[in-house]
Amino acid sequence: MAKTYLLNNQKFDGVINLEVFKIKYIPSRFDLKKYDALIITSKNAIYSLNSFNDDWTKIPCYAIAKKTADIILKNGGIVEYTGSSGHGNDFAKELKDKLANKKVLYVRAKEVASNLVKILKESNTDIDELITYETVCNDKLNIELEKNSTIIFTSPSSVNCFFKNYSWDKSFNAIVIGKTTSKCLPNYVNFKISPVTSVEECIKLSQMVTF
């Protein structure tokens, strides 16, 4: 039976974890209290903020998707709005009117693939950025991937770090969490995009789809 590899540490039955990257938090003495809204596009933004500043819990958050919103709430934060698209650029377009007359902080990774900030600045949103974490590729992987495997890519970083460790076999198939991540794949990779931006939906798709 073909194997399914998930490129993060979330556990699911019948799925093999292949941790191609790790998250490194970047502490900061940044003053969050002057902001009216926080844009959160990843659970790691919340976990990293928690590691050095709990003032974020008092500021309304604009979450890219339901899973992110759930983590905000679970960690004591306020969810003002949850995006419907789950994709960075589309999320920015959803926020244009909602963030009018607010001072906004986008809490993000060191490297991002979307044009969220550019789109919002073009609509005159008063937005700053705070880098609170980065992804570091794991270069000590010794797992040999089986032929006909399905690889689940959950972020642009997972794509980058996977291809630093492995060459793509033509028998492999790819499931991708969203459009932004799919654009990072080499053009020779055969992939399907999850209809909903969540790891659970990626796994469901991997069990249903035929390439």
Side-chain angles (χ1 to χ4, degrees):
M1 184 176 178
K3 300 289 179 65
T4 298
Y5 296 90
L6 174 63
L7 305 186
N8 65 30
N9 61 0
Q10 292 177 256
K11 306 296 182 184
F12 296 92
D13 291 341
V15 177
I16 301 168
N17 292 103
L18 186 64
E19 296 182 49
V20 295
F21 66 87
K22 297 178 180 179
I23 301 298
K24 179 183 177 182
Y25 298 157
I26 303 173
S28 169
R29 295 181 179 275
F30 201 83
D31 181 12
L32 302 179
K33 295 177 184 178
K34 60 185 178 181
Y35 292 96
D36 305 309
L38 301 179
I39 295 176
I40 307 293
T41 58
S42 167
K43 64 181 180 181
N44 292 311
I46 296 304
Y47 297 150
S48 56
L49 280 175
N50 269 345
S51 72
F52 65 85
N53 193 326
D54 61 5
D55 287 337
W56 75 270
T57 59
K58 305 176 183 70
I59 305 168
C61 294
Y62 291 71
I64 193 169
K66 184 180 183 303
K67 280 290 180 183
T68 309
D70 290 344
I71 291 168
I72 292 169
L73 292 172
K74 186 176 180 180
N75 284 270
I78 304 163
V79 175
E80 183 71 20
Y81 175 76
T82 303
S84 59
S85 70
H87 305 294
N89 291 349
D90 294 336
F91 183 45
K93 294 171 185 175
E94 292 179 54
L95 294 179
K96 283 181 179 180
D97 295 334
K98 299 180 184 303
L99 296 176
N101 303 314
K102 296 182 186 298
K103 188 164 183 61
V104 183
L105 181 66
Y106 175 30
V107 184
R108 68 171 183 86
K110 187 174 182 179
E111 294 185 15
V112 292
S114 76
N115 294 314
L116 183 146
V117 170
K118 180 176 183 290
I119 292 168
L120 287 174
K121 282 187 174 180
E122 287 174 350
S123 66
N124 298 315
T125 302
D126 183 5
I127 183 170
D128 294 331
E129 302 172 74
L130 175 63
I131 297 170
T132 61
Y133 66 99
E134 64 178 326
T135 54
V136 180
C137 292
N138 184 353
D139 57 2
K140 297 180 180 179
L141 294 172
N142 297 309
I143 299 173
E144 186 174 343
L145 306 184
E146 294 188 13
K147 295 275 188 179
N148 301 308
S149 294
T150 296
I151 316 297
I152 300 177
F153 294 93
T154 57
S155 67
S157 295
S158 70
V159 175
N160 176 45
C161 293
F162 177 88
F163 284 97
K164 283 188 176 181
N165 283 278
Y166 296 100
S167 296
W168 190 257
D169 189 281
K170 63 182 181 181
S171 72
F172 293 166
N173 296 304
I175 299 292
V176 187
I177 200 167
K179 291 185 290 186
T180 300
T181 301
S182 72
K183 291 175 182 177
C184 299
L185 287 169
N187 56 17
Y188 54 79
V189 173
N190 185 27
F191 67 88
K192 301 285 185 183
I193 300 179
S194 172
V196 179
T197 311
S198 79
V199 176
E200 290 83 353
E201 291 299 322
C202 286
I203 291 169
K204 287 180 185 177
L205 182 59
S206 72
Q207 295 167 343
M208 297 167 51
V209 74
T210 54
F211 285 83

